Amino acid sequence: MIEADPALVALLNASPEDGHGERKLVWLVARRRDTGAEVTRGLWNGEDDITFSIRSGFTGLNEDRTYYGASIKDVGEIVSGIDLNVPSVDVTLPIMNDVTEQLLREYNARLASVEIHTLYLAPNTGMPVGTLLDFVGEVDKAPIKTPEAGGEGSIVIKVVSDIMSMLTRINGRKSSHEDQAKYGDGDQINKYASTVARWPIPWGQKRT
């Protein structure tokens, strides 16, 4: 069940007639490359740095978060489904930006936790009314596209659903010899799985 502030509910109900504005908020929890310490970064496609009280998609608690302005170029379409396909979202960041440069070069964003919220704005004043959580996941890829002379580069972060990624992830322990041996004494299943393909077997003879 999604809980929303009454003012936001009223805004969305009146939106077909009055309209509303939207901005995207992206929150990442990455790690420093030098120490491995956890760091957080907030990005959004507004102009100025601003602090919002946001309900975390991971803890469900409200947190005061600072989001750096002009640090998002685009957030791709977020598609919901009912199958086991792993949904993904492309978040495009500007390459000539100190915040995003630090995020990708000084910090390690690989497998960073990500939350994407939509910030809703009042149509007449442009003031924030409330936010809703759109997506929770982790960074899968973050390639940096260096521009040619005179061109404009970008950073496209591919974010995959955290829950669906874990449901479809293969657990190597379940197929290892050590794990299988727990099910019975003398069980040799998978003990030679990594080398059996290279065994020389003479024609007409059976391996014993």
Side-chain angles (χ1 to χ4, degrees):
M1 178 178 178
I2 299 176
E3 297 182 5
D5 186 273
L8 177 56
V9 174
L11 173 74
L12 296 177
N13 285 337
S15 182
E17 290 77 25
D18 301 335
H20 67 269
E22 293 185 7
R23 296 291 186 272
K24 290 296 184 182
L25 310 176
V26 177
W27 183 256
L28 299 100
V29 182
R31 294 190 179 275
R32 292 188 60 90
R33 293 185 184 275
D34 52 358
T35 65
E38 192 173 86
V39 291
T40 58
R41 228 358 134 246
L43 315 172
W44 79 305
N45 53 356
E47 292 300 322
D48 302 315
D49 302 344
I50 193 166
T51 299
F52 295 109
S53 179
I54 300 291
R55 177 173 294 180
S56 169
F58 291 102
T59 67
L61 302 176
N62 288 336
E63 302 176 357
D64 288 335
R65 297 176 174 178
T66 298
Y67 290 84
Y68 291 92
S71 53
I72 295 177
K73 295 177 67 176
D74 182 61
V75 175
E77 182 181 7
I78 298 175
V79 179
S80 301
I82 58 174
D83 52 26
L84 287 180
N85 291 325
V86 181
S88 64
V89 181
D90 286 345
V91 180
T92 304
L93 313 178
I95 197 170
M96 301 300 292
N97 181 287
D98 292 340
V99 174
T100 55
E101 284 279 319
Q102 183 184 46
L103 174 65
L104 273 298
R105 299 188 188 278
E106 183 177 336
Y107 303 153
N108 183 7
R110 179 79 171 93
L111 299 181
S113 299
V114 180
E115 296 179 24
I116 302 176
H117 289 79
T118 294
L119 171 68
Y120 294 90
L121 309 175
N124 297 326
T125 64
M127 296 299 294
V129 176
T131 62
L132 287 178
L133 179 66
D134 293 329
F135 197 87
V136 175
E138 61 184 28
V139 174
D140 183 48
K141 299 177 182 178
I144 300 176
K145 298 181 179 179
T146 303
E148 299 178 357
E152 183 179 354
S154 62
I155 304 168
V156 180
I157 296 180
K158 182 176 289 294
V159 183
V160 298
S161 169
D162 197 40
I163 295 176
M164 296 307 298
S165 178
M166 288 189 290
L167 286 176
T168 57
R169 189 173 297 159
I170 297 174
N171 186 347
R173 286 193 48 130
K174 297 301 182 182
S175 59
S176 68
H177 165 69
E178 289 76 13
D179 194 73
Q180 292 293 329
K182 297 176 183 178
Y183 296 100
D185 294 337
D187 188 355
Q188 298 297 305
I189 186 170
N190 285 344
K191 181 175 182 179
Y192 305 103
S194 62
T195 61
V196 66
R198 300 191 298 273
W199 287 356
I201 300 180
W203 181 259
Q205 297 183 28
K206 181 172 67 173
R207 170 72 63 176
T208 58

